[in-house]
Amino acid sequence: MTDQRHHFRQPLQRSPFHPRIEAANVLNAWAPWAGYTTALNFGDVAMEHSAIRSTASVYDVSPMIKYAIEGPDAVAYLDRLTLRRVAGMPVGGVQYTAWCNDAGHVLDDGTLFRFDETRFRLCCQERHLPWLLDSAIGFDVTIRDVTEEVAGLSLQGPTSFAVLKAAGAAELADLKPFRMAEVRLGPVGPVTVSRTGFTADLGYELWVAPERALDLWDHLMISGRLHGIRPVGTEALNIARIEAGFITANADFVCAEHALRPDRARQPDEIGLDWMVDLDKGPFNGRAAIRAARRDRTLKWALVGLDIEGNISAEGSIVYLGGRKEVGQITAAVWSPTTKRNIALAQLLRPWHRDAGDKLRVEIYALRELQYHKLMLPARVVKRPFFNPPRRRATPPAMF
Amino acid sequence: MKDTAASTVPGPSSRTWDAVVVGAGHNGLVAASYLARSGLDVLVVEKNEWIGGAAVSRELHPGVTYSNCSYVFSLFRPEIMRDLDLPAHGLQVLPYESGAVFKRDGGYVAMYRDHEATRREFARHSPRDAESYDRYSRDIMRYCRFIRPLLMRTPPDPASFKLRDMSEMAYLARHFLALGSEDAAEMVRFWTMSISDFLDEYFENEAIKSYLAVSSIIGTALGPMSPGTAYVLLHHYMGDVDGNIGAWGYARGGMGAVTKALASSFLAAGGTIRENAPVARIKVREGRAEGVVLEDGEEIRARRVISSMDVKRTFLGCMDPSDVPAPFLEKVRNFKSRGSSGKLNIALDGVPEFTALPEGSPCIQGDLHFTDTLERMERAYDEWKIGRWSSDPFQDTMIPTLTDPTMAPPGQHFMSCFVQYCPPRLEGGREWTENDRDAFGKAVLDQIEDYAPGFKNRVLHVEVRTPRELEAEVGLTDGNIFQGELTFDQLLFNRPVPGYAQYRGPVDELWMCGSSTHPGGGVMGAPGRNAAAEILRGMKAGTTKKTEMRDAYPVI
């Protein structure tokens, strides 16, 4: 589409991998994500989830919003913007981070990639250009939306390194979690590979120019044939990410700039991101508010993992203390095939994230043949991730 | 419209109505319907030979129905539609498409129903503005959520010590304080600032700002740089089409379908409407309204008189000054109801081709505008100040027949052009002439022709309306479409006159139910409903039937 005026004819954009995804999407299970049409599944969610946990899976992450942040002040700017310390980040490092407004309310979380001394890329769920530009006043830094300039493919699962080795990147054996490297993959040419992902399993994300996307897909599929590779959709990935205990913006928390109801905004401590707040690194957006909330004990919410009795998944349920008092709601839930537990992420009013003991109950309306079965199932707060295998971090990684 | 007078009304002098409502516009009919459903014997008198007021559809070219005044639908309260069963009486609301502002360089900025399409459209002009739009929409929506619960509540009198007023003041205070100090400050700024300043806080692109400013000047004798215009924008955003807040639609069959459904509901409840019955005077005896005198001298007696006319026409035009306290009259004179707009209603034998739009663009089915900078909009206003119509006018133009199949034969179309600025009187206080009116119409047609060559060849008929025509036909003083400007000084308990915001006039049993009262104009129906609520409240228990009158749907 060269004439940009015609965009309305195709309201959802197509990812650079679309031709391959379309061919494999045998049930035509599509859903919009950030303005792109994306696959919900490729015909069998259980088999796809099984590939994530047993072999290798590919998931198209091209719709992720990506901003290039570059310039002599990039480090200072990012340290001012985000919660974690950026100055100490090595070149080739990747950081899971988040950023807040002045009230200390989380605007989004995302992944920060450092390419060299002055060049970074920030990947996130939502759009933030005005915020990023306004925050750059006074810094020698440029910020550009590069979403459409970078195609991303997530390769996750115990055989993902075996696939990459077969694809010609044996040197990735040395790549540690949250590091990236540039490799040449046979017919694809240069590919940036980061050891990152959304599954809590061994896995990598591969970044290429859009015009190399189909070659990358084809090369991985050929290289992975003996290693059980298969494309997976959002439904299977979502199961894996809940097992990993990862949160998603505007699903498990509401981005502060999107919150229509002001009481929906959350501080990092209220969505389980307290560990990334570096109060000692120098000034950053939201620091005073976060510090004050901790000091004055005004934090209201906490985000926890729940282990719920039974085997009926609890999406959208209200959480009670005893039988009556509402103390929170479930933001994501699934019967976990990997852990054989009924797990969920939930927002709980403080102090019940800590003090509820065995008193939490989850109200589930299970629709079975046109009738609801109303259940009040006991639940308890457990540590996240629900699933955290040693193979996730092993360096060099195992072949399966 | 059926004149029911002949068949059902007994001799004029022999009967005393429970209520006579002056004016068969939407608010008059809403008030009348609620009262009729409560068991009152209600007569609506209308000066024209048709009903509808400013929610009217007339066929002025064979086969082509116009929305002669108001032309889009959003603010009408859904609670009223349900109470009065308007869908069963034929009211159907159609959501409409997107729209565009045309730029002088041959380009355009569009808005689409699809959020991503709008984002990408804005991004063509400014990537930053494309992403600012979400926060802007969020903030406007916050203000809407604040104001919506207030629309169907009678404003308190802040100077009163009555329990009801004090508890309503307390409600307002709680509602406001619930915002928190930061949002409360933002809200006060928003209510009082100019739309230009407000948009500058979010956007950089002039054409995008111009598009978003459209709703802030409509019907208002202010420019986008005048303080107070941000609120006018909110007033246009607080409606919805089936829960899609801020969205606008068409009443199927034209805006007259709204009053047609209301009249049908009213008649079904036992009410009576008399067309061709212009009121000369509201009769008062010993401080109490007791009926109206028509221009032909006929007297109609009633236990209460409810005026849906604007306050100026009601108190300055239809009452003996000695019946009304002088200070009240002075305040009515000071009420701002300056006319600012005109309208062209056009019958077309085909769809104009706007050269900027790519073939198949849905924007042609939406609202179209030709003012691509706020400065041009402000300059258009400058001409109004010196008593000229804008030579480079601002338009809110649309072709409802691309959405509604009922208003024109296939292939023909009705085009509605709302135009600003258009003063009620010309330079030096001179009255409009036919020549002036035609020259105004030509300026508007020429502007459309510039963007759609060949447009004029498709024109079958044009109705040109300046404030003069609006006043003469609809009765709106100075042609102000809101029966008084929607600025902060004239809202809530100050609308229309401090101390008289509870729909009661300064004379016993004289009531006001038009858009001059809270919460104002825009074809909301809320003034009529609120007035009926006050009237019924004041009546003795047991004298009325219980009827459905919902409170505002909760905002959760």
Side-chain angles (χ1 to χ4, degrees), chain A residues 62-103:
Chain A
S62 305
M64 289 287 286
I65 311 298
K66 308 170 207 77
Y67 295 106
I69 296 166
E70 301 177 358
D73 288 346
V75 169
Y77 165 75
L78 286 163
D79 259 328
R80 180 75 171 73
L81 179 82
T82 65
L83 298 177
R84 295 182 71 181
R85 190 171 147 80
V86 178
M89 222 179 133
V91 168
V94 185
Q95 200 179 59
Y96 171 52
T97 189
W99 54 104
C100 294
N101 62 18
D102 290 352

Side-chain angles (χ1 to χ4, degrees), chain A residues 4-11 13 34-35 67 127-130 133-134 145 256-262, chain B residues 108 112 114 116-117 119-121 124 127-128 131-132 135 138 141-142 145 183 356 358-362 556:
Chain A
Q4 289 299 313
R5 296 179 309 158
H6 292 274
H7 62 78
F8 65 86
R9 298 186 201 282
Q10 189 182 287
Q13 278 176 297
Y67 295 106
R127 297 188 164 274
H128 300 283
L129 190 60
L133 289 173
D134 287 349
D145 179 356
E257 284 202 326
H258 294 125
L260 183 55
R261 296 157 189 82
Chain B
Y108 66 92
Y112 297 94
D114 181 80
E116 277 300 316
R119 186 186 63 71
R120 288 212 291 277
E121 175 67 11
R124 290 202 299 129
R128 181 198 163 97
E131 299 193 14
S132 291
R135 188 169 61 90
R138 191 278 306 264
M141 199 58 62
R142 277 192 178 178
R145 292 167 58 85
D183 284 352
E359 203 182 324
S361 166
I556 59 166

Side-chain angles (χ1 to χ4, degrees), chain B residues 219-223 226 336-342 377-391 419-428 432 467 478-480 485:
Chain B
T220 305
L222 295 172
S226 313
K336 279 185 306 179
S337 61
R338 307 171 297 180
S340 61
S341 49
M377 218 179 259
E378 187 70 20
R379 298 275 179 225
Y381 174 50
D382 288 342
E383 288 174 285
W384 177 91
K385 295 175 194 163
I386 49 174
R388 293 183 196 153
W389 62 84
S390 309
S391 49
V419 190
Q420 284 196 172
Y421 292 83
C422 192
R425 267 161 295 281
L426 299 173
E427 275 167 286
W432 283 80
D478 286 341
N480 184 292
E485 277 172 44

Side-chain angles (χ1 to χ4, degrees), chain A residues 186-376:
Chain A
V188 189
V191 177
T192 302
V193 180
S194 55
R195 192 166 164 187
T196 49
F198 212 44
T199 61
D201 219 308
L202 177 62
Y204 302 84
E205 288 170 313
L206 288 70
W207 310 94
V208 289
E211 54 275 16
R212 309 304 302 156
L214 296 181
D215 287 342
L216 174 64
W217 180 283
D218 294 341
H219 186 57
L220 283 181
M221 286 300 165
I222 292 165
S223 310
R225 193 170 286 158
L226 300 178
H227 304 282
I229 197 167
R230 69 184 290 157
V232 302
T234 305
E235 291 168 346
L237 179 72
N238 195 44
I239 299 172
R241 77 97 184 171
I242 299 170
E243 291 177 333
F246 290 140
I247 57 174
T248 302
N250 284 336
D252 300 291
F253 69 96
V254 180
C255 297
E257 284 202 326
H258 294 125
L260 183 55
R261 296 157 189 82
D263 67 352
R264 300 302 199 269
R266 295 283 183 271
Q267 288 212 352
D269 295 18
E270 295 178 298
I271 57 172
L273 301 183
D274 41 336
W275 59 271
M276 62 169 65
V277 178
D278 187 345
L279 287 176
D280 303 323
K281 71 169 180 173
F284 62 90
N285 284 342
R287 183 174 73 160
I290 293 168
R291 189 177 264 162
R294 287 181 178 179
R295 184 191 62 221
D296 304 337
R297 302 179 182 281
T298 54
L299 295 163
K300 206 174 161 196
W301 294 94
L303 191 138
V304 298
L306 289 183
D307 185 343
I308 303 164
E309 275 304 309
N311 61 357
I312 298 167
S313 172
E315 286 96 345
S317 293
I318 294 176
V319 184
Y320 294 85
L321 187 72
R324 294 238 173 78
K325 185 181 162 70
E326 286 182 24
V327 292
Q329 50 277 316
I330 284 176
T331 57
V334 73
W335 164 258
S336 160
T338 313
T339 64
K340 303 303 177 202
R341 284 171 188 273
N342 193 19
I343 60 173
L345 302 176
Q347 294 204 350
L348 291 188
L349 282 170
R350 290 169 181 251
W352 308 115
H353 68 301
R354 198 186 58 216
D355 297 349
D358 57 1
K359 293 209 196 81
L360 293 180
R361 298 288 179 277
V362 173
E363 183 179 43
I364 297 176
Y365 290 78
L367 184 63
R368 297 291 182 273
E369 293 184 304
L370 307 183
Q371 286 190 27
Y372 279 108
H373 296 258
K374 185 179 165 185
L375 310 168
M376 280 292 239

Side-chain angles (χ1 to χ4, degrees), chain B residues 266-328:
Chain B
F266 174 59
L267 295 177
T272 308
I273 300 173
R274 282 183 63 183
E275 297 88 355
N276 285 314
V279 168
R281 195 159 59 83
I282 294 167
K283 248 185 101 180
V284 176
R285 200 172 63 176
E286 290 168 6
R288 184 187 175 94
E290 57 168 27
V292 295
V293 183
L294 300 185
E295 277 178 10
D296 63 7
E298 182 190 342
E299 288 194 21
I300 297 173
R301 288 195 314 209
R303 293 184 184 88
R304 50 191 65 76
V305 176
I306 303 156
S307 172
S308 75
M309 302 181 292
D310 68 65
V311 280
K312 291 200 168 175
R313 194 175 178 93
T314 303
F315 295 103
L316 305 177
C318 292
M319 293 195 74
D320 189 328
S322 64
D323 287 337
V324 188
F328 177 84

Side-chain angles (χ1 to χ4, degrees), chain A residues 32-242:
Chain A
W33 171 26
Y36 285 80
T37 187
T38 57
L40 281 173
N41 65 65
F42 292 91
D44 192 323
V45 176
M47 294 294 282
E48 291 164 36
H49 175 263
S50 182
I52 295 172
R53 293 294 180 223
S54 174
T55 54
S57 63
V58 290
Y59 179 75
D60 180 8
V61 292
S62 305
M64 289 287 286
I65 311 298
K66 308 170 207 77
Y67 295 106
I69 296 166
E70 301 177 358
D73 288 346
V75 169
Y77 165 75
L78 286 163
D79 259 328
R80 180 75 171 73
L81 179 82
T82 65
L83 298 177
R84 295 182 71 181
R85 190 171 147 80
V86 178
M89 222 179 133
V91 168
V94 185
Q95 200 179 59
Y96 171 52
T97 189
W99 54 104
C100 294
N101 62 18
D102 290 352
H105 291 139
V106 177
L107 292 162
D108 206 347
D109 63 348
T111 329
L112 183 66
F113 297 79
R114 182 168 198 176
F115 295 101
D116 60 30
E117 291 302 319
T118 61
R119 291 191 309 126
F120 291 81
R121 183 188 299 157
L122 185 60
C123 289
C124 49
Q125 183 74 13
E126 301 292 343
R127 297 188 164 274
H128 300 283
L129 190 60
W131 182 267
L132 297 180
L133 289 173
D134 287 349
S135 304
I137 293 170
F139 291 99
D140 187 359
V141 63
T142 61
I143 293 139
R144 210 160 52 81
D145 179 356
V146 294
T147 304
E148 295 178 22
E149 296 169 28
V150 183
L153 203 56
S154 181
L155 174 70
Q156 303 282 310
T159 66
S160 52
F161 172 68
V163 174
L164 287 173
K165 194 173 172 193
E171 69 267 36
L172 290 174
D174 298 332
L175 190 70
K176 291 178 179 162
F178 287 102
R179 290 295 159 92
M180 63 175 164
E182 191 170 295
V183 296
R184 293 193 70 83
L185 287 187
V188 189
V191 177
T192 302
V193 180
S194 55
R195 192 166 164 187
T196 49
F198 212 44
T199 61
D201 219 308
L202 177 62
Y204 302 84
E205 288 170 313
L206 288 70
W207 310 94
V208 289
E211 54 275 16
R212 309 304 302 156
L214 296 181
D215 287 342
L216 174 64
W217 180 283
D218 294 341
H219 186 57
L220 283 181
M221 286 300 165
I222 292 165
S223 310
R225 193 170 286 158
L226 300 178
H227 304 282
I229 197 167
R230 69 184 290 157
V232 302
T234 305
E235 291 168 346
L237 179 72
N238 195 44
I239 299 172
R241 77 97 184 171
I242 299 170

